[in-house]
Amino acid sequence: MVWLVTTEEKLFDLRTRNTPSKISAWVFQTVTEQSPKWLPKRDGGRLIATTWLLAAIVFMSCYSGILTAMMTVPRVSTPIDSLADLVAQSKLPWRLEAGSMITAFLMESGDPVRQKAVTAMSGSISDCWAARQALVQGHYAAICDETTMKKTMSWDFSTSGKCHLYIARDKVLTNLMMALAFKKNSTFLSGVNKILLVVKEAGLVAKWLGEQITNTSQCLRPPSADRRDGISPLNLDAFVGPLLVLFGGMILGALTFVGEHFIWRITWMTQ
């Protein structure tokens, strides 16, 4: 701005009193989003200064708005996000499916945390789908397979329009193999293996599950993400619009500035 005013004074033979103080006040008012009363005297300088003022207002408004939102919106913590969190607390009881292989898996793992999940459970359930109503109402937690839990979430969201359930990020069992059993040396084995391989590689299993289990995208998000929806740090891409306005205004102002100078010179020479 100092260079702009100085150049303007030299080219158009102008005089501005207290230039440093006026420019300092102008910059301070721009940063604090106040309306400055002083502007350069020529149209080219005013266009450049106005463009900078508009860009500064946009930049400061975006930054202050995002900063205020991040400071005022509360963050939701997830108290139980793993099996260790579950067995370490005493407020929420949990249950396992009766007769399932998960009980034997936990006890034979040799891990004290997994063994406590069996020894300290409040009871058993026939299966997770049958106990879905009690899970939604928060009577207890349950260790279930992921497919059944997604199906339960889909049922809950379809009937209530809300997500009352969530799946912990730390999985109890990450590798669950399911198979079709045949008699030894069965003639159907090789044919079925080829069919299963084709179905798996073609993604048909995931497609069929997606068709049967819907309305789970919102509920699969962690609860801590609900209150921070749409709030994220600003990157350079977010300021592409204001930067284009700033650069465009600077270029237009510079062209106006040069045009004014040529017009003034021609007028001065003809007089």
Side-chain angles (χ1 to χ4, degrees), residues 180-226:
L180 294 176
F182 291 91
K183 181 181 178 181
K184 189 175 181 180
N185 299 325
S186 174
T187 57
F188 300 103
L189 182 60
S190 59
V192 171
N193 285 338
K194 292 180 181 180
I195 295 175
L196 292 178
L197 182 61
V198 171
V199 170
K200 181 178 179 182
E201 291 181 348
L204 293 178
V205 176
K207 178 179 180 297
W208 292 336
L209 285 176
E211 293 175 352
Q212 297 299 321
I213 304 175
T214 57
N215 299 330
T216 58
S217 300
Q218 179 69 21
C219 299
L220 288 176
R221 301 172 59 203
S224 56
D226 293 342

Side-chain angles (χ1 to χ4, degrees), residues 94-123:
W94 64 90
R95 297 184 181 184
L96 278 71
E97 290 182 331
S100 64
M101 53 81 59
I102 190 66
T103 304
F105 168 77
L106 294 175
M107 291 301 298
E108 296 175 3
S109 64
D111 185 6
V113 174
R114 292 181 175 179
Q115 291 176 345
K116 186 177 180 181
V118 178
T119 58
M121 66 178 180
S122 62

Side-chain angles (χ1 to χ4, degrees), residues 141-168:
I143 301 177
C144 310
D145 64 279
E146 190 170 358
T147 303
T148 303
M149 280 306 304
K150 289 182 179 180
K151 184 179 179 182
T152 304
M153 286 180 169
S154 175
W155 166 81
D156 177 38
F157 190 81
S158 300
T159 54
S160 65
K162 298 181 179 179
C163 297
H164 298 99
L165 301 171
Y166 78 94
I167 301 175

Side-chain angles (χ1 to χ4, degrees), residues 17-235:
R17 296 181 179 181
N18 302 323
T19 300
S21 61
K22 290 182 178 180
I23 294 177
S24 300
W26 186 87
V27 173
F28 178 77
Q29 289 174 333
T30 301
V31 173
T32 57
E33 299 184 8
Q34 301 296 321
S35 178
K37 297 181 179 180
W38 175 84
L39 283 174
K41 297 181 179 180
R42 307 296 296 187
D43 292 338
R46 290 188 175 188
L47 182 57
I48 294 175
T50 304
T51 303
W52 168 253
L53 178 62
L54 177 62
I57 292 175
V58 173
F59 291 147
M60 293 300 297
S61 299
C62 293
Y63 176 77
S64 60
I66 292 295
L67 181 62
T68 303
M70 287 185 173
M71 294 179 64
T72 56
V73 175
R75 298 182 62 180
V76 179
S77 60
T78 306
I80 303 176
D81 211 17
S82 65
L83 187 62
D85 296 337
L86 180 65
V87 301
Q89 54 84 41
S90 57
K91 294 183 179 180
L92 179 65
W94 64 90
R95 297 184 181 184
L96 278 71
E97 290 182 331
S100 64
M101 53 81 59
I102 190 66
T103 304
F105 168 77
L106 294 175
M107 291 301 298
E108 296 175 3
S109 64
D111 185 6
V113 174
R114 292 181 175 179
Q115 291 176 345
K116 186 177 180 181
V118 178
T119 58
M121 66 178 180
S122 62
S124 61
I125 54 178
S126 58
D127 60 80
C128 293
W129 176 251
R132 62 187 183 279
Q133 192 67 46
L135 292 174
V136 169
Q137 294 175 357
H139 296 323
Y140 49 79
I143 301 177
C144 310
D145 64 279
E146 190 170 358
T147 303
T148 303
M149 280 306 304
K150 289 182 179 180
K151 184 179 179 182
T152 304
M153 286 180 169
S154 175
W155 166 81
D156 177 38
F157 190 81
S158 300
T159 54
S160 65
K162 298 181 179 179
C163 297
H164 298 99
L165 301 171
Y166 78 94
I167 301 175
R169 293 185 180 182
D170 187 10
K171 301 296 188 297
V172 177
L173 182 62
T174 58
N175 186 17
L176 181 60
M177 296 180 292
M178 303 184 67
L180 294 176
F182 291 91
K183 181 181 178 181
K184 189 175 181 180
N185 299 325
S186 174
T187 57
F188 300 103
L189 182 60
S190 59
V192 171
N193 285 338
K194 292 180 181 180
I195 295 175
L196 292 178
L197 182 61
V198 171
V199 170
K200 181 178 179 182
E201 291 181 348
L204 293 178
V205 176
K207 178 179 180 297
W208 292 336
L209 285 176
E211 293 175 352
Q212 297 299 321
I213 304 175
T214 57
N215 299 330
T216 58
S217 300
Q218 179 69 21
C219 299
L220 288 176
R221 301 172 59 203
S224 56
D226 293 342
R227 295 298 185 88
R228 292 177 290 179
D229 203 16
I231 303 176
S232 60
L234 295 178
N235 50 25

Side-chain angles (χ1 to χ4, degrees), residues 54-55 58-59 236-248:
L54 177 62
V58 173
F59 291 147
L236 186 60
D237 295 338
F239 291 102
V240 170
L243 288 175
L244 290 177
V245 174
L246 175 61
F247 293 147

